[in-house]
Amino acid sequence: MAKKHDVIIVGMGLASLATAARLSELGVKDIGIYTTAYGGTPYIAAINFVLPDNPYGDTIGQYNDDMIHAGYGINNRTLVRDMTASTMEGYNLLCRWGVEFAKNEDGTTKLRHLSGHTYPRSLCCTTELIGVEIVKKLVDGLEENGIPIHMGYECLHVLTEDGHVCGITVKNPEGGIENIHAPVVVAGWGGVGNLFGVSTYPGDIKGNTLAIAKEAGAELVDIEFLEYEPMVVMSPPGAVGEPCPTAMLGEGAYLLNSEGERFMLKVRPQGEGGSPKTLINKQIWKEVDAGRGTPHGGAWVDLRHIDRNVLKAYPWFFNRLMDNGVDPNQELVEVGPMAHSFSGGIMVDENYESTVAGFYAVGEACGGVHGACRCAGNAASQATLSGLLCAQAIAGLKACQPEPVHDLPAEYKEDAGVYGRYVPEAKAIAVKALGIYRRGEDLLQARARLDEMLSQQEIKKDTQAFQIVKSIRLMVEAAWNRKESRGTHMRLDYPEADKEYEKEFPI
Ligand SMILES: Cc1cc2nc3c(=O)[nH]c(=O)nc-3n(C[C@H](O)[C@H](O)[C@H](O)COP(=O)(O)OP(=O)(O)OC[C@H]3O[C@@H](n4cnc5c(N)ncnc54)[C@H](O)[C@@H]3O)c2cc1C
């Protein structure tokens, strides 16, 4: 007898936890959370909300405009409007569930100034990552409310019948394959980090979920827009991969090229603080291309003049450097861009429902709200707000009870040899074709090779290999269709498209 729930949530990152928390508040109790691990959420350092007592005079309208600007104008305006208008509801939700944010000595909320924002509006924790605090408080709260988290369950397929979602197929912790039924399924399965050779993302964010959504019939949007985190530590080896928070630029840090020049000032005379991530990435790449990069192909971040107590208030970053023999008050730190979060995903409406009835998507799993790129700290805000708004839409449905569904086959195949023959090559293709600079010729070659792989009978012997290759194929197609350079997607072979686009959206 298959398990049944009123609502299934896939994943236990912030978006899933916020959805479950709000559903529980609204009286939906039979929620099944199925997840492989924790995703990107424990790494969250900053989360943005427009608080009414923001001393810089911040407004919801300005936040809305900052998102559209960072998104290079192609954001889904309805999603942005609803998200920014609900900012306090998201903040209050986290506070109700016990999340505590850092305060200043005078008791006001500590606010940091992150990339892409006009004003300081990022909340944080100064003793650990705020993501760790969020996971701790929400997981404990859900358990107290009788909502268990089924850890170690990997979603393999989303099941549909007559155009409506009806459940998921999972691999359980014992390795068994089973179907679990519900009339509502929420994808909170995060982004695509591990489709790329090296990324900031943990291993449970495999990226095959794009193909899972597509197989279920969901439309995808903006999936060419992978974001690069601009200031990821490149040396020493023990600290490689640790993002230097872009908030450091707001604290007074600056970027230097190998000639000691503050190159960001050429494009941002007002100073580095608040620069959009895409601008920082582009300027670092320009310096590297001009032969003014650092030994590992990045730039130096100068933190030497920053008060030690300020640096220590980013303990995960400060301690990682110190533990690896680099004192940021004494030495320059080598940083550069690395594949990071995903702006695209499952296309949703204002209720966060996809084009498949009953199938919802929240957080990094859904696309549209960020457009071509996001403001720093906004993945966390969007994860919270999309979860809240989605939960309110689901709780308003007349019936959440599962309808009887036919027993669908629980299908999944594994063949380690097949995986090894296809996946490493496909990921290498992703790195080359979907990297920093994109060329039509590379994209066409990538498309042809990926199609050849997908046409082999053999690849179907490993479902995950097929889904990973298919996900990369979907991103390559989207990148091929996007002719102009926008966000971090820098297209080299269509200068005429860039000229047209610059007229429409000057940056
Ligand atoms: C190093 C790092 C630093 C970051 N810093 C910030 C920051 O300071 N501010 C900010 O706003 N954003 C930051 N981000 C981005 C942010 O972490 C993510 O965008 C955010 O966590 C998205 O939340 P989510 O709930 O949508 O996805 P995630 O937190 O990634 O959670 C996805 C969940 O789905 C599960 N899952 C995935 N696939 C499956 C499957 N097939 N079956 C079952 N479960 C599955 C995962 O195990 C996980 O539980 C950072 C990311 C990283 C990696």
Side-chain angles (χ1 to χ4, degrees), residues 11-15 35-37 40-41 45-46 153 155 188-189 200-201 204 364 377 379-380:
M12 62 163 288
L14 174 50
T35 188
T36 38
T41 291
Y153 282 78
C155 171
W189 54 40
T200 56
Y201 271 66
D204 53 322
E364 213 176 317

Side-chain angles (χ1 to χ4, degrees), residues 429 432-433 437-447 476:
I429 291 173
K432 180 164 187 241
Y437 297 111
R438 296 175 180 180
R439 294 172 187 81
E441 199 185 320
D442 292 341
L443 291 165
L444 288 177
Q445 271 176 18
R447 192 168 74 173
V476 164

Side-chain angles (χ1 to χ4, degrees), residues 160-173:
T160 59
E161 209 173 31
D162 302 328
H164 197 291
V165 85
C166 61
I168 56 174
T169 303
V170 292
K171 183 179 183 181
N172 61 36

Side-chain angles (χ1 to χ4, degrees), residues 129-387:
L129 285 154
I130 188 70
V132 173
E133 157 82 358
I134 289 173
V135 170
K136 232 174 0 203
K137 294 287 171 56
L138 271 78
V139 167
D140 286 355
L142 288 169
E143 279 174 1
E144 276 166 28
N145 279 271
I147 298 166
I149 290 171
H150 303 277
M151 185 57 103
Y153 282 78
E154 180 168 6
C155 171
L156 313 169
H157 299 291
V158 171
L159 300 169
T160 59
E161 209 173 31
D162 302 328
H164 197 291
V165 85
C166 61
I168 56 174
T169 303
V170 292
K171 183 179 183 181
N172 61 36
E174 292 74 43
I177 309 298
E178 57 176 308
N179 285 344
I180 304 170
H181 291 138
V184 173
V185 172
V186 182
W189 54 40
V192 298
N194 281 288
L195 292 182
F196 297 82
V198 186
S199 96
T200 56
Y201 271 66
D204 53 322
I205 305 303
K206 292 182 178 168
N208 61 324
T209 43
L210 281 183
I212 296 178
K214 193 76 181 167
E215 281 167 6
E219 287 302 319
L220 306 175
V221 64
D222 296 341
I223 60 169
E224 62 276 35
F225 295 118
L226 177 77
E227 191 194 299
Y228 283 76
E229 179 66 19
M231 291 160 44
V232 180
V233 174
M234 297 178 126
S235 174
V240 170
E242 181 69 48
C244 171
T246 55
M248 287 294 183
L249 301 178
E251 305 279 13
Y254 25 82
L255 287 161
L256 303 174
N257 63 20
S258 60
E259 294 171 4
E261 183 193 5
R262 272 174 79 179
F263 56 88
M264 286 297 296
L265 295 183
K266 288 188 272 196
V267 289
R268 222 179 134 79
Q270 70 269 45
E272 291 85 346
S275 311
K277 286 185 179 187
T278 46
L279 187 67
I280 308 172
N281 285 327
K282 281 180 191 167
Q283 294 312 116
I284 293 178
W285 292 322
K286 271 190 195 160
E287 294 304 311
V288 173
D289 284 350
R292 295 187 293 268
T294 50
H296 295 89
W300 301 112
V301 61
D302 194 346
L303 307 161
R304 291 173 299 181
H305 53 289
I306 296 188
D307 187 287
R308 203 160 185 79
N309 288 329
V310 172
L311 293 177
K312 280 186 177 172
Y314 298 81
W316 60 94
F317 174 69
F318 180 78
N319 294 338
R320 181 102 183 253
L321 289 177
M322 292 297 286
D323 291 348
N324 285 282
V326 173
D327 181 339
N329 275 135
Q330 301 289 331
E331 291 177 56
L332 297 173
V333 182
E334 193 178 2
V335 294
M338 186 182 277
H340 187 59
S341 66
F342 194 40
S343 289
I346 298 169
M347 185 193 277
V348 290
D349 65 13
E350 67 275 20
N351 292 324
Y352 287 85
E353 190 171 16
S354 75
T355 47
V356 177
F359 181 36
Y360 293 75
V362 289
E364 213 176 317
C366 72
V369 66
H370 299 303
C373 194
R374 65 176 174 83
C375 301
N378 243 17
S381 319
Q382 187 266 350
T384 310
L385 268 314
S386 58

Side-chain angles (χ1 to χ4, degrees), residues 59-72:
T59 60
I60 286 171
Q62 188 60 58
Y63 186 27
N64 186 94
D65 292 353
D66 287 351
M67 283 186 66
I68 306 284
H69 193 259
Y72 286 68

